[in-house]
Amino acid sequence: MRGDGRVFRRGAKWWISYYAPKDGKSVEHREPGGKTEPEARRLLKARLREIAVHKTGLRPFQGPRQERLTVDDLLQTLERDYEVRGKKSIRQLRSHNRHVRAFFTMDRALAVSMNRLRDYIAHRQGEKAAPATINREIEGLQRAFALAVEAGTLALAPRFPSFSERNARQGFFERGEFEAVLGHLGDEDLRDFLRWFYFTGMRPGEIRALTWADLDRETWTLRLHARDAKTGQGRALALEGEFRTIIERRIRARRIDCPFIFHRGGERMGEFRKAWNAACEKAGVAGRIPYDLRRTAVRNMIRAGVDQAVAMKISGHRTDAIFRRYNIVSDDDLREAVVKTAAYVASLPAERKVLPLAEGTAGKNFP
């Protein structure tokens, strides 16, 4: 009957034909239905159900094109979207996507289910990946599916699991520990880079991006442009105290052929993990990471009484929640709090100011 579509044979294959929406019109669609007539009729019924759902407005009709989409197709589209929008996290996304691609290879997008995603999580756990890393990889895949649904190339996306992250870093440096690490680094350029990191808490990528064009020597202000900030919001630092001392030292080490303030032998500051790990081991603090300096800077500013809003401007944090995670409380902080509390309680009067009425005197009038 009209609207029921039809199946027909062409050579050795069966085909199906039906009318479905395309560009606002109802047009005929033809596609291979399989090797047998029953197989073709099953596919036709599935297509007619998709058309019926489309007419209710619940889900747009996609037809056979979505069945050809692979997970890799979705990831490529997501990466192009990041490139077009100039997202600074494109390198991190590609790094995460390498693991996703290696597992899903050429999986069809429609074949990705909750169970398949759980298999991926178990696979990455077997590779000792951290919970936060696995969540970021799953989130990237979820964004890829959401982008495909938004663009109309997929009708729906699967549910995506996630699990609790209990691996938040807790490391920070006491001043003596930090100075000990610096003492085992023979590179003055690297020492200045780490000093700036320790005092400001700026992200390493932001420090690397600072150029002499960002320095105003009339007002002694250093400005980080929005294009170089991870959050996309620029900020300025007044160069006083240790901040100014570091910049003055960088002025003396300035190279005409290098625009960067924190360079290394005339080249933009690159990777220094080997030198860092060796210095930490010699200083007796093996296992620390450079990013512990960012947590240390936040903690020092709060200890010094710097207003949180001002501290966030310096370090570049956008939300209170993340900033509070970086304000690490140490055992010494807790011990000091206990001592202060005990001292306060000890200062309180030990005798009661109001005495209870003697037994049997309740209700009596006294002159």
Side-chain angles (χ1 to χ4, degrees):
M1 295 181 62
R2 183 178 178 83
D4 288 344
R6 65 190 179 96
V7 299
F8 59 95
R9 191 169 185 173
R10 179 180 293 170
K13 291 185 178 181
W14 286 84
W15 287 67
I16 64 174
S17 172
Y18 54 89
Y19 278 81
K22 183 179 180 181
D23 299 329
K25 299 179 182 179
S26 182
V27 299
E28 184 183 19
H29 290 250
R30 294 186 179 187
E31 60 177 291
K35 296 181 179 180
T36 65
E37 182 179 359
E39 188 178 352
R41 291 195 178 280
R42 284 195 297 271
L43 179 59
L44 178 60
K45 288 180 66 175
R47 290 287 182 259
L48 294 177
R49 284 196 298 268
E50 290 180 40
I51 296 169
V53 171
H54 174 90
K55 289 179 179 178
T56 64
L58 294 176
R59 194 164 58 236
F61 176 78
Q62 299 296 332
R65 62 177 178 172
Q66 68 173 348
E67 295 169 0
R68 295 191 291 267
L69 281 174
T70 65
V71 172
D72 185 62
D73 292 330
L74 302 188
L75 295 178
Q76 287 185 37
T77 301
L78 177 65
E79 289 172 2
R80 284 197 298 272
D81 178 69
Y82 269 49
E83 290 172 354
V84 169
R85 294 193 290 144
K87 298 276 285 183
K88 292 183 173 63
S89 54
I90 179 66
R91 291 179 60 187
Q92 187 177 32
L93 175 71
R94 287 189 176 126
S95 175
H96 290 159
N97 284 352
R98 280 201 298 271
H99 297 284
V100 177
R101 282 190 172 99
F103 181 83
F104 290 97
T105 58
M106 293 298 291
D107 280 27
R108 300 289 181 180
L110 288 179
V112 177
S113 62
M114 175 71 85
N115 286 336
R116 182 70 170 149
L117 292 167
R118 288 197 180 103
D119 289 342
Y120 175 75
I121 291 174
H123 169 73
R124 292 291 285 136
Q125 286 175 326
E127 295 181 336
K128 308 300 182 184
T133 300
I134 299 173
N135 275 345
R136 300 298 85 76
E137 293 166 0
I138 292 292
E139 286 170 5
L141 184 58
Q142 185 174 12
R143 284 195 294 270
F145 270 89
L147 195 63
V149 172
E150 182 182 338
T153 54
L154 268 183
L156 71 166
R159 290 183 58 194
F160 285 82
S162 64
F163 53 99
S164 177
E165 299 176 14
R166 300 176 183 269
N167 64 328
R169 295 284 305 189
Q170 294 291 312
F172 59 91
F173 278 88
E174 298 299 341
R175 181 67 186 269
E177 295 174 334
F178 175 64
E179 294 297 340
V181 172
L182 292 185
H184 291 288
L185 290 170
D187 186 339
E188 185 60 33
D189 290 334
L190 180 55
R191 286 202 294 266
D192 277 345
F193 180 92
L194 294 173
R195 286 190 186 99
W196 188 262
F197 197 179
Y198 174 83
F199 280 101
T200 67
M202 292 176 67
R203 298 175 181 87
E206 295 173 339
I207 303 175
R208 288 185 174 99
L210 292 171
T211 67
W212 293 112
D214 303 325
L215 174 63
D216 184 344
R217 292 187 64 175
E218 290 187 5
T219 60
W220 280 98
T221 303
L222 188 62
R223 197 169 294 277
L224 177 70
H225 290 284
R227 65 175 181 270
D228 298 320
K230 181 182 178 182
T231 61
Q233 296 182 350
R235 56 190 189 275
L237 272 71
L239 301 178
E240 298 291 343
E242 187 66 25
F243 289 11
R244 181 159 175 168
T245 300
I246 295 172
I247 295 301
E248 287 176 339
R249 192 161 49 242
R250 297 315 301 160
I251 290 174
R252 293 192 293 272
R254 183 175 181 178
R255 293 276 296 262
I256 301 300
D257 58 344
C258 178
F260 300 107
I261 294 176
F262 294 96
H263 61 83
R264 198 178 190 185
E267 299 291 336
R268 178 171 175 162
M269 183 66 65
E271 184 59 52
F272 50 83
R273 189 168 299 276
K274 287 184 179 180
W276 168 268
N277 289 339
C280 285
E281 187 170 350
K282 292 176 182 177
V285 289
R288 302 289 179 83
I289 63 173
Y291 223 77
D292 290 338
L293 298 177
R294 180 162 163 81
R295 281 175 278 273
T296 301
V298 168
R299 182 168 168 266
N300 288 345
M301 283 188 279
I302 295 302
R303 277 181 164 184
V306 176
D307 182 79
Q308 178 176 320
V310 176
M312 290 174 67
K313 283 286 186 182
I314 295 173
S315 65
H317 285 94
R318 290 187 64 179
T319 65
D320 292 344
I322 297 298
F323 183 86
R324 285 194 296 270
R325 280 183 59 188
Y326 276 64
N327 183 20
I328 306 298
V329 177
S330 70
D331 290 342
D332 289 340
D333 293 330
L334 297 175
R335 187 174 292 106
E336 184 180 355
V338 171
V339 170
K340 286 182 176 179
T341 303
Y344 170 73
V345 172
S347 69
L348 298 175
E351 298 180 357
R352 301 168 72 176
K353 293 182 178 180
V354 178
L355 298 177
L357 293 174
E359 185 177 353
T361 60
K364 294 184 177 181
N365 293 324
F366 292 91

